[in-house]
């Protein structure tokens, strides 16, 4: 399988910027100040592992007209100069006394003087990636500036993916699917879950993933009870239900899906749980069409899960540069699904004595309906070592 | 090599909490509200990959007396109940209309009514990991509450590691050292850097790393020019200087060091650069003793690097649950080094036509001076494929 090209053409960044600028003009915003990795990369193409270090803040200002302006640590200036941006302002960070604040103040002071509105990400699923004290100092130096929440404005655009973005997500989903197809070869009874996690990560890399930032799972006799704990050294045993859920990346885009396996023949309760989740996912695939709301897709899956779903926050979400991003397949999300959204369908349920099961697939919504990006899980809970 | 135990004894969390509470009492703080992974884990032991998803906020309140209180999404409650904490309050997140805010308000309202001071992380190398809009709504509901910056208070404790923490960092440093020792076996001329990165990650996992969240590097003829770009498909060629810098993890603790290699015999400029950085690191090792200041260690390394160092922000930093954490080996950091601090020594310089070289080792400061956690790089730039 041939990998798509890395990065994006400058025209794609220009188009993203133009779309956001049109929305900014309608909303009366003079610009956006962005501080988080996905947002900065979306408009600039600046892609680096350096965000892993919390030491340095990075800023991108998207004015209502013209190209974005980068205000970044000197260590990133060479890489930023390789993007489509022209105006790159840097300082020798870290400088705790002034980590970009005077550069930002200089850039934004004219907006403040005109009492204009600056958009920030203040809403659900966002945070401000700079010291809170620096933010307060920045605002204090920008008397007259109005601050607006630009979360909805920006999310609306980011939820709908370009064909180039979809190609990257499809590529990492295919890598993930091949990795899950190899699980039967790397799993063995007696293997500590910790070692299986390591083997899974190695397999995903061998299949072509750049990285596996997210891997969770569980394995317990008859069914797992928790899906967010780190792996233990408990050995896999006959009778376990095993789940692995991975967010692997390629060129900065995630897949996010899971697979369940029975170690030896499973009990009826686990078989039935898997069957129900598989059918709930089918219902989600059928419901996820342009024009449907997120709530409708949620309810289509919930109707199959029934009361075993319990008090679940959501049954899927957007996917892209983040492992999880808007919209949410939840009762409270009325977002209308549109063509080229990439979504996870993630039904879950409880069964037996506090056991849970989670199933997950990734789709792209096309005009004619949902297309799977992941290789569909088999309808029946797969069994590893059945003949043992 | 035997791995140390995972996690920490409850007594360690109790001791950390007691130390912070004594400092809070001295500073007149009624409690700390923590939102970021390292801080929440430091006091609770709550360890999960789930932080990768930006969707859900997680809160820990550390009162000036008594055990910390967790205010967290329901999905994490089972794992939090396995920690030493007793008071765990949860809600079915995500709920964008009230993602923990009413629970926080209920918890903190008595403090606000008494006009007490709440400590938040507002300083250098921190951020607030919750929606800014939610933070503003929280404060609006807590009239009378005073907010104080607790960054210095908390960092002072986190900079000094316990023996159990040092054992974890030593373990991942040993894994990193064995991985670097295997680089000559996995590197080959003609190999795209992208594939080498993947092979390095696989090797680190095979050596026992849980994950390799951070891997950067560069390779160019005669010397690299950038250390934060993602790897390209450019094939490694004879004459290249290759650098790999990794932040691998074990049980949530990082190593952070790099190694330089010449692909075939290197030129004199690269040899001299490596020699100078190696000697700068020796000077750093000698200078990093209890009682010395970070500035003094910085200057000891800078004296060897000389003017080729350029406008460098810092030459090393703290290391632990974060790839980079305080203190900074920088001219502006007067932190006094004390026993059981874990530090990176990371001298860098420029040479030739815009080329740079970075070298890095990890140390723990003991009463008698610095002890290496990494296997010391060889004094001479190692050559791969010299006989080819």
């Amino acid at each position: 399988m041939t990998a798509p090209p890395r990065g994006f053409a400058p025209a794609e960044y220009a188009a993203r910027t133009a779309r956001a600028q049109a929305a900014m003009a309608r909303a009366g915003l003079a610009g956006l100040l962005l501080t988080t990795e996905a947002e900065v990369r979306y408009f600039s193409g600046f892609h680096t592992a350096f965000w892993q270090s919390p030491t340095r803040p990075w800023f991108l200002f998207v004015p209502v007209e013209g190209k974005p302006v980068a205000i970044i640590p000197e260590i990133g200036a060479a890489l930023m100069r390789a993007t489509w941006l022209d105006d790159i302002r840097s300082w020798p960070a870290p400088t705790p006394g002034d980590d970009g604040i005077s550069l930002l103040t200089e850039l934004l002071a004219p907006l403040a003087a005109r009492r204009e509105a600056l958009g920030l990400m203040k809403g659900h699923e966002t945070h401000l990636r700079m010291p809170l004290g620096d933010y307060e100092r920045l605002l204090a130096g920008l008397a007259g500036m109005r601050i607006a929440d630009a979360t909805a404005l920006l999310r609306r655009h980011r939820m709908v993916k370009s064909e180039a973005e979809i190609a990257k997500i499809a590529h990492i989903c295919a890598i993930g699917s091949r990795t899950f197809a190899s699980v039967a070869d790397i799993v063995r009874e007696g293997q500590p879950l910790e070692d299986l996690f390591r083997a899974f990560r190695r397999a995903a890399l061998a299949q072509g993933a750049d990285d596996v930032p997210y891997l969770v799972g569980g394995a317990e006799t008859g069914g797992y009870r928790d899906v967010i704990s780190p792996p233990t050294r408990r050995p896999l045993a006959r009778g376990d239900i095993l789940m692995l859920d991975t967010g692997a990346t390629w060129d900065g885009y995630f897949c996010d899906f899971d697979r369940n396996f029975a170690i030896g023949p499973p009990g009826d309760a686990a078989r039935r749980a898997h069957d129900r989740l598989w059918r709930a996912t089918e219902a989600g695939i059928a419901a996820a069409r342009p024009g449907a709301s997120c709530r409708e897709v949620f309810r289509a899956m919930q109707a199959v899960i029934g009361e075993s779903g319990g008090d679940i926050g959501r049954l899927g979400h957007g996917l892209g540069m983040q492992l999880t991003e808007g919209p949410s397949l939840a009762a409270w999300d009325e977002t209308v699904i549109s063509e080229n959204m990439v979504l996870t369908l993630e039904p879950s349920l409880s069964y037996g004595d506090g056991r849970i099961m989670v199933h997950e697939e990734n789709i792209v919504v096309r005009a004619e309906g949902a297309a799977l990006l992941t290789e569909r899980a088999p309808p029946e809970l797969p069994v590893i070592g059945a003949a043992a």
Side-chain angles (χ1 to χ4, degrees), chain A residues 44-101:
Chain A
S44 69
F46 185 71
H47 188 192
T48 171
F50 223 75
W51 293 90
Q52 185 69 44
S53 161
T55 296
R56 294 173 180 84
W58 304 81
F59 305 102
L60 192 75
F61 175 67
V62 184
V64 70
E65 286 181 8
K67 283 189 180 183
V69 179
I71 305 94
I72 60 168
E74 177 57 34
I75 198 167
L79 181 59
M80 189 63 91
R81 278 194 290 269
T83 71
W84 76 300
L85 301 198
D86 301 321
D87 189 347
I88 294 147
R89 309 176 187 190
S90 65
W91 79 98
T95 307
D98 181 11
D99 256 345
I101 302 308

Side-chain angles (χ1 to χ4, degrees), chain A residues 325-337:
Chain A
E325 52 185 55
S328 289
L329 302 181
W332 46 262
D333 196 329
E334 297 176 44
T335 304
V336 175
I337 288 173

Side-chain angles (χ1 to χ4, degrees), chain A residues 2 16 21 36 39 45 50 75 98 110 115 117 137 182 186 193 195 227 247 278 286 305 322 345 362-363 373:
Chain A
T2 308
R16 293 173 183 178
Q21 287 172 328
T36 35
E39 283 71 28
F50 223 75
I75 198 167
D98 181 11
R115 303 198 159 273
R137 274 187 290 280
S182 75
I186 61 177
L193 196 57
D195 295 352
V227 294
W278 195 89
I305 300 169
Q322 295 170 199
L345 300 170
N362 299 161
I363 60 170
L373 297 174

Side-chain angles (χ1 to χ4, degrees), chain A residues 196-217:
Chain A
L196 172 55
F197 270 47
R198 224 170 251 133
F200 185 91
R201 282 197 146 96
R202 283 172 50 81
L205 292 161
Q207 293 290 351
D210 288 342
D211 194 7
V212 188
Y214 184 75
L215 179 62
V216 298

Side-chain angles (χ1 to χ4, degrees), chain A residues 170-185:
Chain A
H171 185 64
I172 187 62
C173 285
I175 288 167
S177 294
R178 293 198 303 270
T179 307
F180 278 121
S182 75
V183 162
D185 300 329

